[in-house]
Amino acid sequence: MTDSGGSCCSPSLGDVAPRTASASSARPTAAVPASRTSRHGIEQVAVPAGTFAMGDHHGDGHPDDGETPIHTVTLSAFDIDATSVTNADFATFVDATGYLSESERQGFSAVFHLAFAGADDDVLGTAGGAPWWYGVRGADWRHPDGPGSTIDGRDEHPVVQVSWDDAQAYCAWAGRSLPTEAQWERAARGGVEGQRYPWGDDIPARATGTHWPCNIFQGSFPGENTTEDGFLTTAPVRSYATNALGLWQMVGNVWEWCADWFDPHWYAASPRENPQGPAAGSGRVMRGGSYLCHDSYCNRYRNAARTSNTPDSASGNVGFRTVSR
């Protein structure tokens, strides 16, 4: 793995800000709807109270990601969404509240170059060091690949182009929470200790379509995706197989926001019981990898893998799932 940052994961808002405006001056204040107990209709999976060994058991992670030391964590029981929040779920929230996502208010967001749909002048710039990420005018959750795209026919795909702030707004309305990083990893592991992936330690023999265990990048990153798994970008949330708990696509497809601030040194100081993450930071944790993960560049589609982004940032490969409060 040669990637030491988030450039194949998702760029920050500042990386793809239009040349005519700084990200900090353009950022809106998110309006969070009042809490309620919910139209959140996603099937729930019960994760029992218990203890597990959190962190990288295989030496796969990049040191800057802080996947070690392995440390024992004990969690209370919680319920977690069986799938990522879908476009249909997020549309229900927006229809009920009139909420405008940060990308809609900013007027642009980050789109992977192979997925871009729009006119040349919709591209406002590219991310420094990662030119495959375009800053695209008119990209938002309704137009995830740019203004020439829609979510028609993608009701059951994960919502993307949502920031951490947007995910928090959804949770406030639905009476839910984002999972802590520890909750997310315990759920992804499905009660099986130390595995690299939700299904085991290895990628099965690589064929096509449903023979792939998850939605990641095939081909030569970033220029050619052969789509051997059937998808250039997102897959429907109930694609592939569940883990041992019945959770769909905990790795691959889209990165998922977690509640915690990110600190690469946190694991050495993390409390044993129900850790909530550091008290402060500049980025929020993201887990699970996405359709852009590739062994040659970014192998973060693993149970232990972690990265982060600023809470106001959004891109075409980041979504979320929620847990009970």
Side-chain angles (χ1 to χ4, degrees), residues 87-245:
N87 285 316
D89 299 318
F90 200 76
T92 297
F93 157 61
V94 169
D95 290 347
T97 63
Y99 182 81
L100 286 176
S101 68
E102 290 196 278
S103 294
E104 289 172 291
R105 286 174 286 172
Q106 292 284 357
F108 72 98
S109 196
V111 175
F112 185 63
H113 73 116
L114 294 181
F116 170 63
D120 288 348
D121 62 2
D122 293 323
V123 179
L124 303 172
T126 59
W132 47 87
W133 279 114
Y134 293 170
V136 175
R137 180 190 296 111
D140 55 50
W141 75 273
R142 296 183 191 273
H143 309 92
D145 304 324
S149 67
T150 74
I151 55 171
D152 291 349
R154 299 194 210 180
D155 282 359
E156 291 305 305
H157 286 236
V159 65
V160 294
Q161 300 293 7
V162 285
S163 68
W164 186 90
D165 295 327
D166 296 332
Q168 284 288 86
Y170 177 95
C171 287
W173 168 78
R176 306 284 294 177
S177 298
L178 290 175
T180 66
E181 186 173 16
Q183 286 177 323
W184 190 98
E185 185 169 326
R186 175 158 165 78
R189 292 190 178 281
V192 182
E193 193 77 8
Q195 288 189 156
R196 179 178 278 119
Y197 307 111
W199 59 83
D201 287 334
D202 300 304
I203 297 288
R206 297 184 172 185
T208 59
T210 57
H211 290 266
W212 279 80
C214 64
N215 181 13
I216 56 176
F217 195 99
Q218 297 90 40
S220 178
F221 185 89
E224 180 190 11
N225 188 341
T226 60
T227 65
E228 292 171 24
D229 63 4
F231 303 97
L232 175 64
T233 61
T234 58
V237 294
R238 289 177 175 82
S239 304
Y240 308 100
T242 66
N243 73 357
L245 286 177

Side-chain angles (χ1 to χ4, degrees), residues 41 78 145 208 215 274 276 305 313 323:
F78 61 96
D145 304 324
T208 59
N215 181 13
N274 294 316
Q276 303 297 303
S313 294
V323 297

Side-chain angles (χ1 to χ4, degrees), residues 221-304:
F221 185 89
E224 180 190 11
N225 188 341
T226 60
T227 65
E228 292 171 24
D229 63 4
F231 303 97
L232 175 64
T233 61
T234 58
V237 294
R238 289 177 175 82
S239 304
Y240 308 100
T242 66
N243 73 357
L245 286 177
L247 293 163
W248 298 87
Q249 296 193 79
M250 292 299 289
V251 302
N253 213 27
V254 294
W255 285 98
E256 295 182 347
W257 289 111
C258 291
D260 311 39
W261 289 109
F262 179 81
D263 180 348
H265 308 295
W266 172 246
Y267 282 9
S270 175
R272 176 188 172 97
E273 295 191 6
N274 294 316
Q276 303 297 303
S282 59
R284 295 287 184 174
V285 171
M286 301 190 306
R287 285 298 203 117
S290 81
Y291 60 80
L292 292 182
C293 283
H294 188 274
D295 285 341
S296 72
Y297 193 77
C298 170
N299 71 343
R300 292 184 177 93
Y301 58 103
R302 296 175 287 106
N303 290 330

